[in-house]
Amino acid sequence: MNSRTSEAAEWRREAWATLVLAWPLALTNLSQMALLATDAAFLGHLSTEALAAVTLSGTLFWTMLSPGFGLSFAAAAMLAQERGRRVGHARAMRRTLRAGLWGAVLAAIPGMLLLWQGGAVLRALGQDPALAEEAQRFMRAVLWGIPFFGMFLTLRGLMAALDRPWPPLVIGVLAVPLNAVLGWALIFGHLGLPALGVQGAGIAGAVADTFMFAALVLFVLRDRRLRRYRFFGRLWRLDAARLVKLLRLGLPISAQMLLEIGLFSAVGLVMGAFGARAVAAHAVALQIASTTFAIPLGLGQAATTRVGLAIGAGRPRAAWRAGWAAILLSTAFMAPMAALMLLAPEALVALFLDPANPGGPETAALAATLLFLAGLFQLSDGVQVVGAGALRGLHDTRVPMLIAAGGYWALGFSAALALAFPAGFGPAGIWAGLVIGLLGVAGAMSWRWAGLSRRGGLTPRARLAPIAP
């Protein structure tokens, strides 16, 4: 077999290995999006105001989740490199998991405290007092699931590092009907339960998050192959040294997530200046765009694991191939999704909005316009999230954080404000700014990965010293 044929075979093997790992992760992400889509569908049929209130609460809720996301992604990168080294990997992975679970709980506390007073925060930011009051009812119910969701994400990273992505997928899928039935009953007052509206949606979400964590813990405890790792041994002991290492790697990821989530949160708040219909239209368009984003997010998580395993095993060429394979796979998926949003935005919006509601036709028309603009940033959004995931596999997190700061805020948010207000494009101008920002971030992330993987290997600076077990 000549070298060209051998190289092609390596690419095929890597693409297949990435897909095998990524698609359960992506479907797990989709199950999380299905939880949100179910709430949006129920609340959209309840009233435009209810949907707008929960959308406003999401601007704070997802911002407060960013520390937990960052630490869980850092734990996944550490766990992958540790397993790739093989020698002493069981003890190292056990310590990292313990630090990750502690980190998830500690990271949740400040966000829970802020969300408890979320209505006051929204009013201080200039939002409508009635919508802020409704949003607070949702936040005070849903916040109890935050620490459980963070710990579930940490366990999911562990399962990916062990090539066992299926259990989180099954559990995530089971959580969807649980959330749907409970949300339907509590929002509208069925099955003998009181009609709680937005508060009912929050309770259902918290219950679903708790269920996912508890079910995954039970699986790990009962699985014969996983029991020998004793992952939950001495869980009550705080491993300060490993937690510090996790924080050193994870805080820049948290900051990057905060910058990204904060951008969309800030956009949601700015939408409030254009009224409840603009907020509801933004929510629908964002929900659809987030659903497609779940697939490249899964590919990015797979890239973190594949790159980390290769680096841990001392195979930089395989790490280079893993990163580029994931980026190419993301592009192949997002291209038809972009075409769908550009060609049929009205049909997609109709799945979420009832035109019989007051203001329904106007809201749907605006949502279709925003979704068309979302189609313009699909490719760049997929590239940037996979590029960031591949870089995390190298434990390269600080430069991506700076890229996010410049691309999302200095470029994207500034353009959004300029196009929405001085230029007079309103809500459409805000989303046009998102297109500009995401294009900038995607280009910079690709440039960073290309720089570290130049000449088919990884530069010496990228070959970070492994974390000692």
Side-chain angles (χ1 to χ4, degrees):
M1 182 182 294
N2 59 44
S3 60
R4 183 174 297 179
T5 304
S6 176
E7 181 69 10
E10 290 291 337
W11 276 100
R12 286 193 298 269
R13 280 193 288 269
E14 181 56 47
W16 178 251
T18 300
L19 281 174
V20 168
L21 179 60
W23 79 266
L25 292 171
L27 289 179
T28 306
N29 294 333
L30 279 174
S31 71
Q32 305 307 302
M33 298 302 168
L35 297 177
L36 300 175
T38 302
D39 291 341
F42 285 150
L43 294 170
H45 285 80
L46 180 65
S47 71
T48 299
E49 288 71 21
L51 179 58
V54 173
T55 301
L56 283 178
S57 71
T59 62
L60 292 180
F61 178 72
W62 287 106
T63 302
M64 293 302 102
L65 284 181
S66 57
F69 272 118
L71 293 181
S72 70
F73 287 154
M78 291 169 62
L79 289 163
Q81 283 202 11
E82 288 158 358
R83 186 177 180 235
R85 287 198 302 273
R86 297 291 181 180
V87 178
H89 75 283
R91 180 171 179 268
M93 293 179 76
R94 187 164 54 247
R95 289 184 62 193
T96 296
L97 178 66
R98 185 193 311 162
L101 294 175
W102 272 94
V105 174
L106 294 174
I109 294 173
M112 294 174 71
L113 293 174
L114 185 141
L115 289 175
W116 188 259
Q117 297 299 327
V121 174
L122 290 174
R123 287 191 295 273
L125 293 172
Q127 299 305 305
D128 180 84
L131 289 180
E133 184 64 28
E134 279 290 281
Q136 179 168 286
R137 293 180 62 233
F138 174 80
M139 285 184 281
R140 287 189 173 182
V142 77
L143 64 83
W144 300 105
I146 291 177
F148 299 104
F149 182 65
M151 291 188 288
F152 171 78
L153 292 177
T154 302
L155 285 175
R156 188 178 66 170
L158 168 71
M159 302 304 287
L162 294 170
D163 292 323
R164 302 286 296 276
W166 288 93
L169 169 60
V170 173
I171 291 167
V173 169
L174 291 175
V176 174
L178 172 64
N179 178 75
V181 172
L182 191 57
W184 170 75
L186 288 173
I187 291 171
F188 298 107
H190 298 301
L191 302 179
L193 296 174
L196 300 177
V198 296
Q199 185 181 30
I203 293 172
V207 170
D209 290 340
T210 305
F211 162 77
M212 289 189 296
F213 170 67
L216 193 50
V217 168
L218 185 61
F219 174 82
V220 173
L221 290 173
R222 294 181 62 86
D223 185 84
R224 184 178 303 175
R225 289 173 55 192
L226 298 178
R227 278 204 303 264
R228 62 188 177 89
Y229 284 94
R230 296 182 289 111
F231 282 123
F232 300 114
R234 299 182 179 180
L235 191 60
W236 60 89
R237 293 181 57 183
L238 177 63
D239 189 337
R242 186 53 60 96
L243 183 58
V244 168
K245 292 177 179 179
L246 178 70
L247 292 171
R248 189 179 300 129
L249 180 64
L251 287 179
I253 304 175
S254 296
Q256 180 186 342
M257 298 295 296
L258 181 62
L259 289 165
E260 183 174 1
I261 295 172
L263 172 66
F264 285 94
S265 298
V267 164
L269 292 172
V270 174
M271 281 289 180
F274 297 98
R277 291 177 185 175
V279 173
H282 167 75
V284 171
L286 185 59
Q287 181 63 62
I288 297 171
S290 299
T291 301
T292 61
F293 180 75
I295 304 300
L297 178 59
L299 285 165
Q301 292 163 335
T304 297
T305 298
R306 296 293 302 167
V307 171
L309 287 170
I311 290 296
R315 301 172 59 221
R317 174 74 179 183
W320 166 80
R321 189 182 298 111
W324 282 116
I327 290 173
L328 292 173
L329 289 169
S330 175
T331 302
F333 171 79
M334 292 299 264
M337 295 300 102
L340 183 62
M341 292 182 188
L342 293 171
L343 297 174
E346 295 86 359
L348 295 173
V349 167
L351 299 174
F352 292 87
L353 288 174
D354 186 353
N357 281 341
E362 295 84 356
T363 304
L366 178 56
T369 299
L370 300 183
L371 190 59
F372 178 88
L373 292 168
L376 298 178
F377 66 63
Q378 289 294 286
L379 287 177
S380 56
D381 208 12
V383 168
Q384 65 87 15
V385 71
V386 176
L391 291 169
R392 281 195 289 270
L394 304 179
H395 290 189
D396 181 50
T397 60
R398 291 175 184 168
V399 172
M401 175 188 68
L402 297 176
I403 290 172
Y408 292 140
W409 288 91
L411 182 61
F413 191 63
S414 297
L417 292 178
L419 291 170
F421 295 104
F425 290 106
I430 295 174
W431 275 64
L434 295 180
V435 175
I436 295 170
L438 286 167
L439 282 171
V441 173
M445 289 292 187
S446 300
W447 172 83
R448 175 67 175 171
W449 175 255
L452 295 182
S453 59
R454 192 176 295 116
R455 293 184 300 278
L458 296 174
T459 62
R461 187 176 180 182
R463 298 177 191 174
L464 302 183
I467 297 175

